[in-house]
Amino acid sequence: MDSAQELRHRTTQTNQEQDTTTNVKDEKKKAMAKRGLRSLAVAIALPLSMTVANIYLFGRPPGDQTYRINVSKPVWFPPLWLLNFMCVVYSALMGLSAWLVWAEGGFHRKPTAAAMYMAQLFLSLAWNPIMFRTGASRVGLFVCLALLVSVFQCFQVFKNVNPIAGAIVKPCLAWVGFLSVVNLKLVYL
């Protein structure tokens, strides 16, 4: 009979130890989730704030002469506010996809992923001032085509690290392609 009581007592201790271990694991998971949310917020907010500042500083041409050409534009031309809004959405989506790649350790395994992301970020921030502040639509087209290439390379690298990140880059790729067509049309107007 004593052995049965000891067995019960041991089982009770094992359950308490398991509960303690489970609580510690749960707390570690919660702490990791909080760090993950913070890093996600930074990954989206940083490029997003840079894009918004870029639009605020350079998004409207002086006198609005560059984008509002007196020649009739095609119906499919986006208004300036929509163009700027889509640039903000593009920035947020690229930040999210880069975070997904970073969370998988993709920037360490494939350093080209970080280089491609930084290249597209730089080119996307450079396009607005070149196009709207200086009015250099030919240079803007060159920058936009380079942006298209860098986003395509991001897509290639990101999809190998995290398929969801690659899928998020697809609409960004479509947007930059459309932006290139709009920029090309502005060169010939």
Side-chain angles (χ1 to χ4, degrees):
M1 198 122 128
D2 288 333
S3 63
Q5 287 178 347
E6 287 178 17
L7 184 60
R8 285 185 194 155
H9 186 65
R10 287 181 188 165
T11 305
T12 305
Q13 286 177 348
T14 306
N15 286 340
Q16 288 174 351
E17 289 172 1
Q18 287 177 350
D19 289 344
T20 305
T21 305
T22 304
N23 288 338
V24 170
K25 286 181 182 178
D26 287 343
E27 288 178 19
K28 285 183 180 179
K29 285 182 182 179
K30 286 179 185 178
M32 267 181 54
K34 284 181 182 178
R35 283 194 311 260
L37 284 176
R38 273 188 245 133
S39 66
L40 174 62
V42 169
I44 293 174
L46 190 63
L48 193 64
S49 62
M50 291 168 62
T51 301
V52 168
N54 194 22
I55 289 170
Y56 179 75
L57 295 173
F58 307 113
R60 181 162 296 274
D64 221 2
Q65 75 269 13
T66 307
Y67 196 71
R68 293 185 188 191
I69 301 173
N70 292 334
V71 179
S72 63
K73 293 182 289 194
V75 176
W76 51 269
F77 253 60
L80 192 57
W81 66 267
L82 182 61
L83 190 83
N84 288 333
F85 176 74
M86 288 306 296
C87 286
V88 169
V89 171
Y90 161 84
S91 177
L93 287 176
M94 285 303 292
L96 175 61
S97 64
W99 180 80
L100 287 170
V101 170
W102 172 80
E104 293 281 329
F107 288 153
H108 296 292
R109 287 192 316 242
K110 298 189 179 208
T112 57
M116 287 297 101
Y117 176 72
M118 295 307 287
Q120 73 77 30
L121 181 63
F122 172 75
L123 289 168
S124 68
L125 291 173
W127 182 79
N128 217 349
I130 290 171
M131 209 37 221
F132 295 125
R133 188 53 64 173
T134 64
S137 58
R138 289 182 194 269
V139 176
L141 179 62
F142 175 73
V143 169
C144 203
L145 291 175
L147 177 61
L148 186 63
V149 169
S150 68
V151 172
F152 181 73
Q153 289 176 341
C154 278
F155 168 71
Q156 291 290 329
V157 174
F158 285 11
K159 76 175 182 171
N160 292 332
V161 175
N162 186 329
I164 295 171
I168 291 173
V169 175
K170 285 180 184 178
C172 298
L173 192 57
W175 168 247
V176 175
F178 177 72
L179 200 60
S180 298
V181 171
V182 168
N183 201 153
L184 180 66
K185 190 68 176 172
L186 281 173
V187 168
Y188 289 109
L189 279 180

